[in-house]
Amino acid sequence: MSEPVVLGIESTCDETAAAVVRGRTLLSNVVASSMDEHARYGGVIPEIASRAHAEAFVPVVSKALSDANMELDDVDAIAVSAGPGLAGCLAVGVSGAKALAWASGKPIYGINHVIGHIAVTQLQFGPFPKDTLALIVSGGHTSLLHVADVARHVDVVGTTLDDAAGECFDKVARLLGFPYPGGPHIDRHARLGNPDAINVPQGLTKGKSGKEHPYDFSFSGVKTAVARWVEAERAAGRPVPVDDVCASLASSVAGVLADKAMHACEQYGSKTLIVGGGFTANSQLRSELIMSGRRHDVEVRIPELRLCTDNGAMVAMLGVNLVEAGVRPSSLDFAIDSAMPMDVISV
Amino acid sequence: MTNTLVIDTSYGSTVGIVGHEPVYEPDSRTHVERLQVNIERACRQARLIPSDLDRIVVGVGPAPFTGLRVGIVTAKAMAFATGAQLIGQDVLAPQAYALRLSRHGNEVSVDGHDARNAGSRLKTDTTNERNVSEDQTRHVSLAVNDARRKQLYFELFDGEDRSKPLIDMDIDYPDHIAKRVLEATERRFGKDCTGVVIDVMGHGAGKYADSWEAFGDGMGLLVDHSILDFKAKGIELFAQCAPLGSSADKPVEPLYLRRPDVSTPNPLKHVLRDNHTTSKGSYAGVPSLDDGNQ
Ligand SMILES: [Zn+2]
């Protein structure tokens, strides 16, 4: 078979996205975001995001096809994120994708969005070496995964037991009064501050819980500790040293992510760490991962930002992997799964 | 011959090809799984393949959010993929249309078919029998759809004058609706309103029958069904309404009527105990998606 052409559709949160991938080549990549509409609420409002998906769906798909100089008939398959994500948002993307697939007679794959974050790195770095590990971090996910075969076999090494890393940043950002999304603000202030100024706890790193959960994460304590500290400073009438708070937070979070990822690489004999998810935009995390990679002789693959954040290319790329592996397409009545387990690759 | 597919998700879901029996699904929670499968079934029953579709008429509400959206995005995507013409039709005007047809009996002929059939079906399905073809009686039609949370979507039509509704499409509590209907009727027909009959039709009409007691002697038919419940005839009439009621090039957008439930959080207080928003994806456990399609 010549290289499969797959249309990928993404609608798990506030991005409506579609892309066309042929083999390992990205032919088009269209993203419409409703982020601005959520800004004044300080977080994604599911109903607003769902409304935006319903409006953007056809225009985004149509543009992805025309940017790729294609019609729907020219693709071999359609892939769509079936979870994890916001149920109301997934419902729009999956229903639309099913309609396209049925109307055009194409096979459809309902895929796991998080595995898409792993798959998309092939567009920039090529195939996965044996025993690749993947660290996926965003506002929604914080997962450490072992990739045996991206189309058939991915294992969960670790995951967050409470908040996602990006979520923790968003909440602290709100506490400090930054507009949503707060990540970029924390990043900027963190560069100016002292990372050792405040003692920010690193969840599941010490003692019994650290032993029981060597590769799991916990960020709710981080958020609480920072919130308490800031409240105490305010109560005492002292100005909050915003730069130091951000630097300490970023350093703590980046440190624990990098340490656990490298530790897992050692354990699994992995020489490659793939990184994905919107939180990868964080510069403290990027540099921490690259430095730790050097120390541990692990190649760290962080794709360019537009491939890290939620997009259709990640869905299309995983779709290509599934077609190439001969995985059976999803049946037309497949359900969405807002809490899809990480070891499910397609439904 | 024009092959028209009707898709409506304003109350459960109904899909069908005009001229054939539709497929009805009462459970709104299974739209994502069932809708496309049902469309496939409806087309197979009519021996059509997707490229045979010329026209897709989709119900645009007013109706609760999630289900409505699924129907509309499905219709839009299918129209995009097949090149079929896409028309949005609200679900209230066709109820008034059905009531009018039932009053006129065989006067209205539809596409060569006799509409008396729809009329008689409508009458047999009513709980409040009354001779509706009496001369001199003026009719107003209150079309409703269940909005949940003890509210109804509604629109009030003059029984014969199609040009402009007496009350534009809105959402309200049934008791308020009854009051507003009486006020609008008085405005239109004068203070005593003698000989004016108010027919009520749609999902929720029966559930809130107590509220219509306010109409007193003026209460006419009470039809606790939407037009789409009238099987093949229903989707035929619904599709027929479409080019009449709305211009074909109007954008097809959902009639939500209700704003999303959101409040702007207090920055400090909500950090430790936050429920209103989801950070870009603390997905699982977001408690409610919408206004209760569950
Ligand atoms: Zn993501």
Side-chain angles (χ1 to χ4, degrees), chain B residues 75-91:
Chain B
K76 284 184 171 180
M78 286 183 57
F80 170 76
T82 60
Q85 183 194 13
L86 177 68
I87 302 174
Q89 173 59 52
D90 78 76
V91 301

Side-chain angles (χ1 to χ4, degrees), chain A residues 13-15 40-41 43-45 47-48 50-51 54-55 57-58 62 72 85-88 91-92 94-96 98-100 102-103 139-140 167 170-171 174-175 227 234 310 332-333 335 339, chain B residues 32-33 36-37 39-40 43 50 65 69-70 73-74 76-78 80-82 253 256 258-260 262-265 267-268 270-272 274 276-284 286 289-290:
Chain A
C13 190
D14 61 347
E15 267 104 23
R40 68 198 184 98
Y41 304 109
V44 176
I45 308 293
E47 176 57 26
I48 292 176
S50 303
R51 290 183 180 195
E55 269 176 47
F57 184 88
V58 166
S62 169
L72 199 50
L86 296 166
V92 174
V94 168
S95 300
K98 284 181 176 184
L100 292 177
W102 180 76
E167 189 182 359
D170 280 346
K171 286 177 178 171
R174 204 187 297 168
L175 175 87
R234 282 183 186 160
D310 292 352
L332 199 57
D333 65 351
Chain B
V32 178
E33 292 97 313
Q36 198 61 48
V37 175
I39 291 170
E40 178 177 50
C43 287
F65 309 154
R69 241 185 326 258
V70 166
V73 82
T74 296
K76 284 184 171 180
M78 286 183 57
F80 170 76
T82 60
E253 293 306 336
Y256 293 122
R258 203 180 253 152
R259 301 168 70 81
V262 282
S263 56
T264 314
L268 195 56
H270 284 248
V271 166
L272 294 171
D274 173 11
H276 283 285
T277 64
T278 175
S279 185
K280 197 173 150 83
S282 39
Y283 301 124
V286 172
L289 293 175
D290 64 11

Side-chain angles (χ1 to χ4, degrees), chain A residues 113 117 141 310:
Chain A
H113 169 93
H117 277 302
H141 5 273
D310 292 352

Side-chain angles (χ1 to χ4, degrees), chain A residues 238-264:
Chain A
R238 284 190 289 271
V240 176
V242 171
D243 294 347
D244 289 348
V245 172
C246 292
S248 303
L249 168 74
S251 148
S252 161
V253 171
V256 74
L257 287 168
D259 284 354
K260 292 206 172 204
M262 289 304 152
H263 184 193

